[in-house]
Amino acid sequence: MPNNFVPNKDEIWSRRQLLRLGLVGAGASGAGLLWLSFNRISKSQIKIPPIDTNIPSEENNPMKVLRNFDYGTIKRENGRKIREFRITATNETIDLNSAVSFNVWTYNGQVPGPTLRATEGDRVRIIFRNQGGHSHSMHFHGTHPVSSDGVLPVRNGKETIYEFNAEPYGVHLYHCHIEPVTRHISKGLYGMFIVDPPSPRPPADEMVLIMAGYDINNDRKNELYAFNGIPEYYLDHPIRIYRNQLVRLYVLNMIEFDEAATFHIHANFFKVYPTGMTLKPTHETDVITMGTAERHILEFSYKYTGKYMFHPHQDITAEHGCMGNFEVIERSNNGR
């Protein structure tokens, strides 16, 4: 697991700040110890609010997707570190609401698939087994050899290995690339692939939101939409966040059949890191437009408590399931 609490070069304190603390002239070791001390404090200050105990614990639970990052299993081969992931394609049935059950195609039994995470330069190995009844594959966005591009079909009951160096850093994705690609994606075969920069970003409450649509009658139009798999889930079960704590949102648009979607938060603005490939934000706004497969890092914090909506600004998309709430709460005296 990468250490998300090491300062990057953009965070180095100025000479003036060090002078105030009497550390100029104390040597690099003294400054380094100060950095370690401050980073421990920063790490301890990031707290995750307790999950509502009334939330169901079914397999396709968007709360499990929200803050769950799969760092794989670390192995050593010939002196080299390998970050290994095991992914299996299967068929499942999920309840999109009280009236609609839908047959989905999944990676590891969930929609979206697990959020895979590595650090730039890691050697990544994905062992992909297809038990989904149709030919499937895993195509990763990023830089890799053609042998790991995931465009060749893996037949039902077969297995293949994709292996490459994780690069460049940013927010990427993976999805099935078997024709018709729109159908394989809209049935659920997609997920996020985060490649962290070598110098990690500052500590934050990190979470994933993936927008997607469901074509439930095969007319190449979406009848329902969702964040992290289930329509209106975060409307019924708001995402709790702490007031005045930095939130780092990894947002991905995987809505097929619609040309674009927006993402908007109420009563606030967010800083935008396009495709997650910058260490400094390019601008600040409260709504951003994304085509299919477009993704960004958005950072913000709320200064007031209460429930605040987030949703696409296309009303039909929001009204048909792509709607949620942040519930901003105070941190209790015991630090929770």
Side-chain angles (χ1 to χ4, degrees):
M1 182 180 298
N3 180 0
N4 290 325
F5 308 105
V6 178
N8 61 45
K9 62 183 179 181
D10 296 323
E11 298 172 289
I12 301 300
W13 282 27
S14 69
R15 178 181 174 85
R16 180 177 298 176
Q17 289 170 310
L18 293 174
L19 278 169
R20 288 174 182 168
L21 293 170
L23 281 174
V24 171
S29 60
L33 289 173
L34 176 73
W35 265 118
L36 290 174
S37 174
F38 270 92
N39 279 300
R40 290 193 190 103
I41 294 171
S42 298
K43 178 179 180 179
S44 67
Q45 287 175 344
I46 299 299
K47 298 293 184 181
I48 306 301
I51 300 297
D52 186 347
T53 56
N54 294 321
I55 292 177
S57 58
E58 67 269 12
E59 185 69 25
N60 278 282
N61 184 330
M63 283 299 182
K64 294 181 180 179
V65 176
L66 187 69
R67 293 185 174 100
N68 189 18
F69 303 97
D70 184 353
Y71 292 93
T73 300
I74 301 299
K75 297 190 171 183
R76 296 278 176 180
E77 294 183 5
N78 299 320
R80 185 171 190 180
K81 182 177 76 173
I82 308 285
R83 192 176 297 275
E84 185 176 282
F85 302 89
R86 290 184 175 269
I87 304 292
T88 301
T90 61
N91 293 337
E92 310 289 342
T93 299
I94 63 174
D95 294 328
L96 299 181
N97 54 39
S98 60
V100 178
S101 293
F102 188 66
N103 177 254
V104 290
W105 300 346
T106 74
Y107 290 124
N108 283 6
Q110 65 180 69
V111 177
T115 299
L116 308 184
R117 194 160 183 176
T119 299
E120 186 179 61
D122 282 354
R123 188 67 174 177
V124 172
R125 175 183 296 157
I126 298 92
I127 301 173
F128 173 61
R129 182 166 181 79
N130 182 12
Q131 295 180 342
H134 307 268
S135 290
H136 293 307
S137 72
M138 292 184 72
H139 165 67
F140 284 81
H141 286 220
T143 303
H144 47 250
V146 68
S147 58
S148 292
D149 200 35
V151 296
L152 298 178
V154 179
R155 290 183 297 171
N156 181 53
K158 300 299 181 178
E159 183 175 284
T160 193
I161 295 176
Y162 307 110
E163 187 165 326
F164 51 88
N165 294 334
E167 58 183 356
Y169 75 80
V171 185
H172 307 307
L173 64 143
Y174 62 89
H175 59 84
C176 185
H177 211 289
I178 303 306
E179 296 291 342
V181 177
T182 52
R183 177 169 172 77
H184 284 244
I185 291 177
S186 64
K187 291 284 282 184
L189 290 173
Y190 59 87
M192 186 176 286
F193 177 43
I194 298 173
V195 180
D196 290 310
S199 297
R201 302 177 192 274
D205 181 1
E206 297 190 317
M207 55 187 80
V208 167
L209 285 179
I210 302 179
M211 297 186 288
Y214 289 103
D215 173 16
I216 61 177
N217 60 6
N218 295 321
D219 63 352
R220 297 183 63 83
K221 295 180 182 178
N222 295 309
E223 287 73 45
L224 293 172
Y225 298 86
F227 286 109
N228 291 350
I230 304 296
E232 295 188 347
Y233 190 91
Y234 298 122
L235 195 62
D236 298 329
H237 307 288
I239 299 170
R240 291 178 175 175
I241 58 177
Y242 283 126
R243 185 177 74 88
N244 288 332
Q245 179 168 266
L246 180 66
V247 171
R248 178 171 299 120
L249 203 58
Y250 298 87
V251 178
L252 166 63
N253 174 25
M254 287 304 292
I255 299 175
E256 290 289 352
F257 309 124
D258 294 11
E259 291 183 358
T262 56
F263 179 80
H264 167 59
I265 63 174
H266 280 212
N268 209 344
F269 290 80
F270 46 73
K271 296 177 180 179
V272 181
Y273 300 75
T275 319
M277 294 180 67
T278 65
L279 297 179
K280 295 182 179 180
T282 58
H283 62 289
E284 194 166 357
T285 182
D286 65 351
V287 62
I288 193 165
T289 302
M290 296 181 288
T292 303
E294 194 167 354
R295 63 275 184 195
H296 303 295
I297 291 176
L298 310 178
E299 289 186 347
F300 58 90
S301 62
Y302 273 92
K303 62 188 296 186
Y304 303 112
T305 59
K307 289 184 180 180
Y308 300 94
M309 286 184 176
F310 60 87
H311 55 83
H313 229 290
Q314 291 82 8
D315 286 347
I316 191 169
T317 309
E319 291 170 359
H320 287 78
C322 213
M323 174 76 77
N325 280 315
F326 290 116
E327 183 179 5
V328 184
I329 62 176
E330 293 282 6
R331 190 182 302 189
S332 62
N333 291 333
N334 63 8
R336 294 186 64 190

